[in-house]
Amino acid sequence: RTALRCILALCCLATAQPCVKLVPPIKLTTSTTSTTFSAAAIAAAAVAMAAATVAIAAAAVAIAAAALAAASASIAITEIQVSTSTSLTSALANPAVGHIILAPGTYNLSTQLSITRSVVLEAAVPGSVVLHAQASSSSQRRVLNINPGPSGVVQLIGLNITGGYIHSYLGGGGVLVDSGTVSIMSSQIYGNTNGAGDGGGVFVNYEATVSLTNCQVFSNQAGLQDGQGSQRGGGICVSGGTLTISSSSVYGNAAGYSGGGVAVDSGSVSIISSQIHNNSVSYLYGSGGDVFFSWGTVTISSSSIYGNTVATGAQSGGGSLQSRAGGGIYVSGGTVSIINCQVYSNQADQGGGVY
């Protein structure tokens, strides 16, 4: 009955006038009234219904198009190119940007770059980008503070990282990696300082997993400014995290007390097909001119360790058995495997090569 009433209404709309009887009539009967319509009126109603259906379909298409446009507007920007420190900082602060391409040049920083999410920083031309902290004892800052959380993934590709200066027990004058999985590739980390603590170049904290591939870490210092702090790892210090160094060089770094090149406080470290050379430890009772291990698991394979020094001439007594020892490698605890390596031309009072 309701359907019939809808058809009647459409018939009236189709004819645009009161319904009249035409011959030959078709009689439609309800329980209370009797109304007749011509075949032409019913056909017109059908046409009107078809037109309404088309209009509804068109509206649905329009709604779908609007939804698609809105969805497209919300899609993350996957890549952006920057050319200034300001635009770099803005891109890092924008969670929609997943891949930042840096145009060639020097990016002078007035504050450290903080990375708190997954992102890729890549030089447009490998080796052509310098991230320079311009730091000093009176204006201290790291170059990079990376803390994207345990599930975060960060990649640094083709960058030069320099000019960091801090005076902190939490290390990393150049790069502090506090958490996440971080890959540093085809990059150079140099000329950074932690005046009172560990990790002049790089500090790997206990929640972080870091890989250095085809990189150079050189001319960094840990703890040579005031004689305070633990002063370990002139180039790199690992404190409970995981580090892999492959096809890379760690050289010309210096520490006050231990690990001129690399210091491992705890964690897991692999050094593969790399060269660690010409690093030094300078203070009395120092140890591990090149690589210092106090705990953890370390594997060194197919690598060369040479030309490293612990300052000689240690006095007897006062723990002298552990002073100025291990010019190349010093192991005080943990598990260390050295496989198919060359260890030569290192110097210390005790264990010039390995102690």
mmCIF file of all heavy atoms in Angstrom, residues 156-178:
data_model
loop_
_atom_site.group_PDB
_atom_site.id
_atom_site.type_symbol
_atom_site.label_atom_id
_atom_site.label_comp_id
_atom_site.label_asym_id
_atom_site.label_seq_id
_atom_site.Cartn_x
_atom_site.Cartn_y
_atom_site.Cartn_z
ATOM 1 N N LEU A 156 71.129 7.677 8.857
ATOM 2 C CA LEU A 156 71.940 8.837 8.500
ATOM 3 C C LEU A 156 72.852 8.402 7.358
ATOM 4 O O LEU A 156 73.633 7.454 7.509
ATOM 5 C CB LEU A 156 72.775 9.306 9.700
ATOM 6 C CG LEU A 156 72.030 9.549 11.024
ATOM 7 C CD1 LEU A 156 73.019 9.937 12.114
ATOM 8 C CD2 LEU A 156 70.968 10.618 10.860
ATOM 9 N N ILE A 157 72.772 9.102 6.225
ATOM 10 C CA ILE A 157 73.468 8.643 5.027
ATOM 11 C C ILE A 157 74.269 9.794 4.417
ATOM 12 O O ILE A 157 73.722 10.852 4.097
ATOM 13 C CB ILE A 157 72.472 8.104 3.982
ATOM 14 C CG1 ILE A 157 71.574 7.020 4.600
ATOM 15 C CG2 ILE A 157 73.209 7.562 2.764
ATOM 16 C CD1 ILE A 157 70.432 6.573 3.702
ATOM 17 N N GLY A 158 75.574 9.578 4.265
ATOM 18 C CA GLY A 158 76.412 10.518 3.525
ATOM 19 C C GLY A 158 76.662 11.847 4.218
ATOM 20 O O GLY A 158 76.875 12.855 3.542
ATOM 21 N N LEU A 159 76.694 11.876 5.564
ATOM 22 C CA LEU A 159 76.807 13.131 6.298
ATOM 23 C C LEU A 159 78.182 13.284 6.950
ATOM 24 O O LEU A 159 78.847 12.297 7.277
ATOM 25 C CB LEU A 159 75.733 13.195 7.394
ATOM 26 C CG LEU A 159 74.277 12.981 6.956
ATOM 27 C CD1 LEU A 159 73.371 12.987 8.168
ATOM 28 C CD2 LEU A 159 73.862 14.039 5.949
ATOM 29 N N ASN A 160 78.583 14.537 7.163
ATOM 30 C CA ASN A 160 79.733 14.877 7.991
ATOM 31 C C ASN A 160 79.206 15.494 9.283
ATOM 32 O O ASN A 160 78.452 16.473 9.244
ATOM 33 C CB ASN A 160 80.646 15.879 7.277
ATOM 34 C CG ASN A 160 81.296 15.290 6.045
ATOM 35 O OD1 ASN A 160 82.165 14.435 6.135
ATOM 36 N ND2 ASN A 160 80.858 15.730 4.875
ATOM 37 N N ILE A 161 79.607 14.927 10.422
ATOM 38 C CA ILE A 161 79.070 15.334 11.719
ATOM 39 C C ILE A 161 80.226 15.842 12.569
ATOM 40 O O ILE A 161 81.127 15.070 12.926
ATOM 41 C CB ILE A 161 78.362 14.151 12.394
ATOM 42 C CG1 ILE A 161 77.191 13.683 11.516
ATOM 43 C CG2 ILE A 161 77.885 14.518 13.790
ATOM 44 C CD1 ILE A 161 76.592 12.360 11.944
ATOM 45 N N THR A 162 80.204 17.136 12.895
ATOM 46 C CA THR A 162 81.378 17.725 13.537
ATOM 47 C C THR A 162 80.997 18.914 14.425
ATOM 48 O O THR A 162 79.870 19.410 14.381
ATOM 49 C CB THR A 162 82.395 18.175 12.470
ATOM 50 O OG1 THR A 162 83.616 18.540 13.109
ATOM 51 C CG2 THR A 162 81.866 19.357 11.656
ATOM 52 N N GLY A 163 81.990 19.340 15.217
ATOM 53 C CA GLY A 163 81.840 20.575 15.980
ATOM 54 C C GLY A 163 81.066 20.460 17.269
ATOM 55 O O GLY A 163 80.715 21.478 17.882
ATOM 56 N N GLY A 164 80.776 19.222 17.736
ATOM 57 C CA GLY A 164 80.063 19.069 18.998
ATOM 58 C C GLY A 164 80.997 19.204 20.187
ATOM 59 O O GLY A 164 82.147 18.755 20.144
ATOM 60 N N TYR A 165 80.490 19.818 21.241
ATOM 61 C CA TYR A 165 81.279 19.940 22.481
ATOM 62 C C TYR A 165 80.315 19.893 23.659
ATOM 63 O O TYR A 165 79.411 20.727 23.767
ATOM 64 C CB TYR A 165 82.064 21.250 22.517
ATOM 65 C CG TYR A 165 83.034 21.368 23.675
ATOM 66 C CD1 TYR A 165 84.406 21.275 23.473
ATOM 67 C CD2 TYR A 165 82.574 21.557 24.987
ATOM 68 C CE1 TYR A 165 85.289 21.372 24.534
ATOM 69 C CE2 TYR A 165 83.448 21.647 26.048
ATOM 70 C CZ TYR A 165 84.810 21.548 25.822
ATOM 71 O OH TYR A 165 85.683 21.635 26.874
ATOM 72 N N ILE A 166 80.513 18.898 24.526
ATOM 73 C CA ILE A 166 79.708 18.806 25.735
ATOM 74 C C ILE A 166 80.632 18.557 26.926
ATOM 75 O O ILE A 166 81.815 18.242 26.763
ATOM 76 C CB ILE A 166 78.647 17.693 25.648
ATOM 77 C CG1 ILE A 166 79.317 16.323 25.467
ATOM 78 C CG2 ILE A 166 77.661 17.970 24.534
ATOM 79 C CD1 ILE A 166 78.357 15.158 25.584
ATOM 80 N N HIS A 167 80.069 18.690 28.088
ATOM 81 C CA HIS A 167 80.798 18.453 29.333
ATOM 82 C C HIS A 167 79.840 17.669 30.217
ATOM 83 O O HIS A 167 79.257 18.203 31.152
ATOM 84 C CB HIS A 167 81.182 19.797 29.964
ATOM 85 C CG HIS A 167 82.301 19.713 30.944
ATOM 86 N ND1 HIS A 167 82.096 19.499 32.278
ATOM 87 C CD2 HIS A 167 83.640 19.822 30.776
ATOM 88 C CE1 HIS A 167 83.262 19.490 32.906
ATOM 89 N NE2 HIS A 167 84.210 19.685 32.012
ATOM 90 N N SER A 168 79.678 16.357 29.896
ATOM 91 C CA SER A 168 78.579 15.611 30.483
ATOM 92 C C SER A 168 78.966 14.155 30.707
ATOM 93 O O SER A 168 79.686 13.558 29.906
ATOM 94 C CB SER A 168 77.352 15.671 29.560
ATOM 95 O OG SER A 168 76.340 14.807 29.991
ATOM 96 N N TYR A 169 78.459 13.584 31.801
ATOM 97 C CA TYR A 169 78.674 12.167 32.041
ATOM 98 C C TYR A 169 77.880 11.321 31.052
ATOM 99 O O TYR A 169 78.266 10.195 30.751
ATOM 100 C CB TYR A 169 78.289 11.809 33.481
ATOM 101 C CG TYR A 169 79.248 12.375 34.498
ATOM 102 C CD1 TYR A 169 78.945 13.538 35.189
ATOM 103 C CD2 TYR A 169 80.474 11.755 34.750
ATOM 104 C CE1 TYR A 169 79.833 14.066 36.115
ATOM 105 C CE2 TYR A 169 81.371 12.278 35.667
ATOM 106 C CZ TYR A 169 81.044 13.434 36.350
ATOM 107 O OH TYR A 169 81.928 13.964 37.253
ATOM 108 N N LEU A 170 76.746 11.838 30.565
ATOM 109 C CA LEU A 170 76.017 11.176 29.478
ATOM 110 C C LEU A 170 76.681 11.596 28.180
ATOM 111 O O LEU A 170 76.636 12.748 27.797
ATOM 112 C CB LEU A 170 74.541 11.577 29.483
ATOM 113 C CG LEU A 170 73.660 10.906 28.428
ATOM 114 C CD1 LEU A 170 73.692 9.383 28.589
ATOM 115 C CD2 LEU A 170 72.229 11.419 28.521
ATOM 116 N N GLY A 171 77.322 10.639 27.510
ATOM 117 C CA GLY A 171 78.295 10.986 26.488
ATOM 118 C C GLY A 171 77.736 11.327 25.122
ATOM 119 O O GLY A 171 76.553 11.541 24.924
ATOM 120 N N GLY A 172 78.663 11.322 24.174
ATOM 121 C CA GLY A 172 78.329 11.602 22.794
ATOM 122 C C GLY A 172 78.480 13.057 22.428
ATOM 123 O O GLY A 172 77.490 13.765 22.270
ATOM 124 N N GLY A 173 79.719 13.514 22.274
ATOM 125 C CA GLY A 173 79.921 14.896 21.840
ATOM 126 C C GLY A 173 79.395 15.132 20.435
ATOM 127 O O GLY A 173 78.863 16.197 20.131
ATOM 128 N N GLY A 174 79.517 14.120 19.576
ATOM 129 C CA GLY A 174 78.985 14.232 18.221
ATOM 130 C C GLY A 174 77.575 13.694 18.116
ATOM 131 O O GLY A 174 76.655 14.394 17.706
ATOM 132 N N VAL A 175 77.395 12.416 18.501
ATOM 133 C CA VAL A 175 76.101 11.749 18.365
ATOM 134 C C VAL A 175 75.808 10.963 19.642
ATOM 135 O O VAL A 175 76.619 10.120 20.052
ATOM 136 C CB VAL A 175 76.086 10.777 17.166
ATOM 137 C CG1 VAL A 175 74.721 10.118 17.035
ATOM 138 C CG2 VAL A 175 76.463 11.499 15.878
ATOM 139 N N LEU A 176 74.670 11.231 20.244
ATOM 140 C CA LEU A 176 74.150 10.413 21.342
ATOM 141 C C LEU A 176 72.975 9.600 20.806
ATOM 142 O O LEU A 176 72.006 10.169 20.298
ATOM 143 C CB LEU A 176 73.684 11.289 22.503
ATOM 144 C CG LEU A 176 72.839 10.585 23.581
ATOM 145 C CD1 LEU A 176 73.637 9.484 24.270
ATOM 146 C CD2 LEU A 176 72.310 11.598 24.596
ATOM 147 N N VAL A 177 73.083 8.274 20.911
ATOM 148 C CA VAL A 177 71.972 7.406 20.516
ATOM 149 C C VAL A 177 71.409 6.791 21.790
ATOM 150 O O VAL A 177 72.029 5.919 22.404
ATOM 151 C CB VAL A 177 72.410 6.309 19.533
ATOM 152 C CG1 VAL A 177 71.198 5.507 19.074
ATOM 153 C CG2 VAL A 177 73.123 6.913 18.328
ATOM 154 N N ASP A 178 70.227 7.244 22.164
ATOM 155 C CA ASP A 178 69.630 6.832 23.432
ATOM 156 C C ASP A 178 68.700 5.633 23.272
ATOM 157 O O ASP A 178 68.487 4.881 24.220
ATOM 158 C CB ASP A 178 68.848 8.006 24.031
ATOM 159 C CG ASP A 178 69.219 8.260 25.476
ATOM 160 O OD1 ASP A 178 70.081 7.536 26.002
ATOM 161 O OD2 ASP A 178 68.648 9.185 26.080
#
